[in-house]
Amino acid sequence: MPFSQARAIRSIADIRELERTPLEDAYDVQNTYGIFAASARAFGDKTALTFLRTGDPADEPVRWSYRELFGKITRAANLFHSLGVKPGDAVAALLPGCLEYHLVLWGGEAAGIVQPLNPLLSLDKLSELIRAADAKILVAYGAEEDAGYWSKALALRDAIDGLKVLRVAPHDEECPPGHEGDGDFQGLLVDQPADRLVSGRNIRPDDIAAYFHTGGTTGAPKLAMHSHGNQVFTAWASVQLMGLTPHDVSINGYPLFHVAGVLPGSLTALSAGVETVIPTTTLFRNPDVRANYWRLVEKYRSTSLSAVPTVLAALANVPVGDADISSIRYCRTGAAILPPELAERFETRFGLHVHEALGMTEMAGISSVRPPGVSGPAGCVGFPIPYAQTRIVALDENGGPSDRDLPPGEHGMILFKAPNVFPGFLDPDATKKAFTDDGWLATGDVGWMDEEGRLNLTGRSKDLIIRSGHNIDPKVIEDALGSHPAVQLCAAVGAPDAYAGELPVAFAVLMPGAEADVDELLDWTSVRVDEPPARPKSVSIIPAMPMTNVGKIFKPELRRMAAENTVRDLVVRFMAADARIEAALSAGGQLSVKVTLEAETEPDSRAELADRLESLPVTVTIA
């Protein structure tokens, strides 16, 4: 049977009532392939996936039914099996948003283990990930698009012995050209059976289904393992909390290399008969998709809006015009804390209350959800998923979890045990760091539990600004600065300081056409931050906020900019001379700053400047 909501969730009591049924009796699907088999039987010719060729609502899309999707997934699994993929072998995917991605994802899991790759990573990191997974096959997009897909794929094949590369033809390509790959993915599918798994594989819930990489932006990428049971539970629990039905339509603009796009965004919807719209190959990065978003909602009668806060901020500047968006019944965000000003703006302009969810790769994409009909302030991420155990513990002196539990209302690190908590990373050392000694997943998220049993987030423990031993939550500064009418996006980080260790500083992007100066923004923020140590020392206006590929604000780059600004200010005050200041992030996320002085600078001046800069808690070299 496909998944459906057992009861409407409006309170923690509803969760507890749901948990009265033993988990083993809640659903009978054992693996992700079983989800698609059940959906094909139940929904048949109903549309499962709709792919938009462009962001123009007038263009006709490509549609696949549930029956068609399941047949193609089966063909893909059989193709991988015919190429030697066995349970435990990995199939890597280097693809944009496209229909075929779903064949690689779910066919890969039925045959072996799928490894979705972020196409914007460097060749070195992609190669490192593929080697770590020991992937046998790479399925790659046969065009360059915005990430150099095909040229990267060929370079990876050259670099990795034995790697086979299958080419996915772009959606409107009439005839595959000659190429240097090892086969045409769509063409090879045709001869494979669509009615059975040739392998005869019995896929168990504890079999590993996927490797998702995490931490690959500033440090060495880590491969998180998901079992089939993890992913199936995520789909079931998400349906319970979101109340999805076959009458729903969702525009999924999350990238499919990211857990949010694959599990809460896709598997959940496809387990419940939802029509899922893929908004072009570049998804929400496509400016036409953003500009026409409300008209796309009207055309496809989308019943939900789900996007990260930075995408919501962009959509907040898109006029609805005469588009009918009354079909939207649920608006949800995650991946970063929702700024209160943005929540208010969305509700005022569009009549949409933005609900929040907490998810992470280590919990197969979902940890807590604020369901439809449950209102709450920004930062409230709703009820922990059914059958989960949750603790809030005090932070230790290093910002990690202690063993001291905190009562409702007190802020600390969130810990979980749940059926979708991953078995660990491929690297045992990384796995050990992910869990406490007594087996709780240490999320790194800082928050508190309210009296209604809802989780509320305040930030990440690694983002805390530590000023002379005083922990400053950057969200306090961001909420204050973000309330200024000219500010579209903002973030606060710690800048290095010789005395305090770190001082809070902020960065802001202004609304299109808005005007404000840094003094005005600094004054506005300072009067709205109650604690004097938390008031920012500066506000910098920047043209664009650094982002990760899934739309999160990339704070390591802001810390790099803050360190560069700090050193520059010290050099100018001391020498009043021209110097080139360059801050850099190492592969491990460590900051360093290089100061290049004019050649004629006196040795004594160089030595004195070096003494002054040495006291900063960041490595500074002078050239």
Side-chain angles (χ1 to χ4, degrees), residues 39 61 81 141 226 271 360 390 404 410 416 461 488 510 516:
S39 291
H81 175 72
Y141 200 58
H226 285 177
S271 75
M360 60 199 74
T390 311
R404 182 167 66 88
E410 291 197 27
F416 278 109
S461 61
Q488 181 178 26
L510 300 184

Side-chain angles (χ1 to χ4, degrees), residues 335-337 395 398-399 413 444-446 458-467 470-478 491-495 502-505 552-559:
I337 298 174
L395 299 179
N398 299 314
M413 186 179 292
D445 289 304
V446 176
T458 54
R460 296 280 295 168
S461 61
K462 66 181 180 181
D463 289 336
L464 290 175
I465 302 165
I466 303 175
R467 178 178 185 174
H470 179 80
N471 288 350
I472 298 170
D473 182 357
K475 187 173 183 293
V476 174
I477 301 168
E478 292 159 0
V493 297
E502 288 185 314
L503 293 176
V505 297
K552 295 182 183 180
I553 293 175
F554 185 40
K555 286 196 171 182
E557 172 61 13
L558 295 180
R559 293 189 191 99

Side-chain angles (χ1 to χ4, degrees), residues 93-96 117-123 126 138-157 165 167-168 170 281-282 285 549:
L94 192 68
L95 297 165
L117 295 169
N118 179 347
L120 298 181
L121 291 178
S122 69
L123 276 173
L126 290 169
L138 173 64
V139 185
Y141 200 58
E144 295 303 290
E145 291 270 327
D146 63 339
Y149 291 93
W150 189 239
S151 58
K152 281 183 177 177
L154 295 179
L156 289 166
R157 189 186 63 173
V165 174
R167 180 182 184 271
V168 171
T281 55
T282 51
R285 295 202 313 278
N549 297 324

Side-chain angles (χ1 to χ4, degrees), residues 436-566:
T436 63
D437 291 340
D438 52 351
W440 290 81
L441 177 67
T443 67
D445 289 304
V446 176
W448 53 283
M449 192 77 75
D450 63 25
E451 295 292 345
E452 297 178 44
R454 303 176 306 183
L455 274 176
N456 295 261
L457 289 187
T458 54
R460 296 280 295 168
S461 61
K462 66 181 180 181
D463 289 336
L464 290 175
I465 302 165
I466 303 175
R467 178 178 185 174
S468 298
H470 179 80
N471 288 350
I472 298 170
D473 182 357
K475 187 173 183 293
V476 174
I477 301 168
E478 292 159 0
D479 287 352
L481 178 55
S483 68
H484 190 286
V487 173
Q488 181 178 26
L489 288 173
C490 65
V493 297
D497 181 75
Y499 173 74
E502 288 185 314
L503 293 176
V505 297
F507 294 84
V509 175
L510 300 184
M511 294 279 192
E515 293 183 1
D517 61 41
V518 293
D519 291 335
E520 175 188 349
L521 296 180
L522 184 60
D523 290 344
W524 175 281
T525 306
S526 296
V527 299
R528 288 164 174 80
V529 173
D530 292 334
E531 279 191 289
R535 292 168 187 160
K537 303 302 291 183
S538 68
V539 175
S540 300
I541 297 173
I542 55 178
M545 193 66 70
M547 297 287 182
T548 69
N549 297 324
V550 294
K552 295 182 183 180
I553 293 175
F554 185 40
K555 286 196 171 182
E557 172 61 13
L558 295 180
R559 293 189 191 99
R560 188 200 66 78
M561 294 164 62
E564 201 169 82
N565 291 342
T566 296

Side-chain angles (χ1 to χ4, degrees), residues 143-501:
E144 295 303 290
E145 291 270 327
D146 63 339
Y149 291 93
W150 189 239
S151 58
K152 281 183 177 177
L154 295 179
L156 289 166
R157 189 186 63 173
D158 290 342
I160 301 172
D161 290 341
L163 184 68
K164 294 179 180 178
V165 174
L166 302 184
R167 180 182 184 271
V168 171
H171 57 272
D172 283 333
E173 183 177 274
E174 294 184 3
C175 181
H179 58 79
E180 299 176 47
D182 297 298
D184 295 302
F185 180 70
Q186 291 100 322
L188 291 170
L189 290 178
V190 174
D191 294 331
Q192 297 296 328
D195 60 346
R196 69 192 186 283
L197 290 180
V198 173
S199 67
R201 182 184 179 192
N202 176 28
I203 309 170
R204 301 185 304 271
D206 59 353
D207 284 349
I208 299 302
Y211 297 144
F212 279 89
H213 60 80
T214 182
T217 311
T218 59
K222 298 176 292 184
L223 285 175
M225 299 181 286
H226 285 177
S227 70
H228 278 269
N230 292 153
Q231 295 191 347
V232 170
F233 179 81
T234 280
W236 177 84
S238 297
V239 169
Q240 304 313 306
L241 283 161
M242 298 183 214
L244 299 178
T245 76
H247 302 293
D248 285 313
V249 178
S250 174
I251 299 176
N252 182 9
Y254 293 99
L256 291 175
F257 63 78
H258 191 271
V259 68
V262 175
L263 298 176
S266 294
L267 187 63
T268 294
L270 295 168
S271 75
V274 175
E275 177 184 350
T276 299
V277 179
I278 304 171
T280 77
T281 55
T282 51
L283 307 164
F284 280 144
R285 295 202 313 278
N286 187 330
D288 292 336
V289 169
R290 297 194 303 272
N292 293 320
Y293 185 80
W294 304 116
R295 292 171 59 209
L296 292 171
V297 167
E298 178 181 49
K299 176 171 181 177
Y300 295 100
R301 305 310 297 155
S302 177
T303 56
S304 66
L305 191 171
S306 183
V308 296
T310 51
V311 172
L312 293 183
L315 294 179
N317 294 320
V318 178
V320 171
D322 58 359
D324 177 7
I325 64 170
S326 60
S327 59
I328 299 177
R329 68 172 183 85
Y330 186 42
C331 180
R332 181 173 59 87
T333 193
I337 298 174
L338 178 68
E341 183 278 332
L342 179 57
E344 181 181 355
R345 189 155 33 119
F346 232 72
E347 192 146 11
T348 300
R349 294 188 180 183
F350 309 123
L352 297 173
H353 181 78
V354 184
H355 300 70
E356 291 179 78
L358 172 63
M360 60 199 74
T361 304
E362 295 86 344
M363 284 186 71
I366 203 72
S367 310
S368 70
V369 178
R370 182 140 54 88
V374 178
S375 296
C380 175
V381 294
F383 306 114
I385 53 178
Y387 304 99
Q389 301 174 62
T390 311
R391 293 170 63 195
I392 310 293
V393 300
L395 299 179
D396 63 20
E397 63 275 10
N398 299 314
S402 72
D403 57 3
R404 182 167 66 88
D405 288 275
L406 298 175
E410 291 197 27
H411 297 221
M413 186 179 292
I414 303 168
L415 309 183
F416 278 109
K417 288 184 178 180
N420 60 344
V421 169
F422 77 144
F425 295 103
L426 275 183
D427 179 358
D429 290 337
T431 299
K432 186 176 181 180
K433 294 176 183 177
F435 292 90
T436 63
D437 291 340
D438 52 351
W440 290 81
L441 177 67
T443 67
D445 289 304
V446 176
W448 53 283
M449 192 77 75
D450 63 25
E451 295 292 345
E452 297 178 44
R454 303 176 306 183
L455 274 176
N456 295 261
L457 289 187
T458 54
R460 296 280 295 168
S461 61
K462 66 181 180 181
D463 289 336
L464 290 175
I465 302 165
I466 303 175
R467 178 178 185 174
S468 298
H470 179 80
N471 288 350
I472 298 170
D473 182 357
K475 187 173 183 293
V476 174
I477 301 168
E478 292 159 0
D479 287 352
L481 178 55
S483 68
H484 190 286
V487 173
Q488 181 178 26
L489 288 173
C490 65
V493 297
D497 181 75
Y499 173 74

Side-chain angles (χ1 to χ4, degrees), residues 76-77 80 85 89 91 103-114 201 209:
F80 296 140
V85 174
D89 291 337
V91 176
L103 309 187
V104 182
L105 284 170
W106 315 118
E109 292 193 352
I113 299 170
V114 74
R201 182 184 179 192

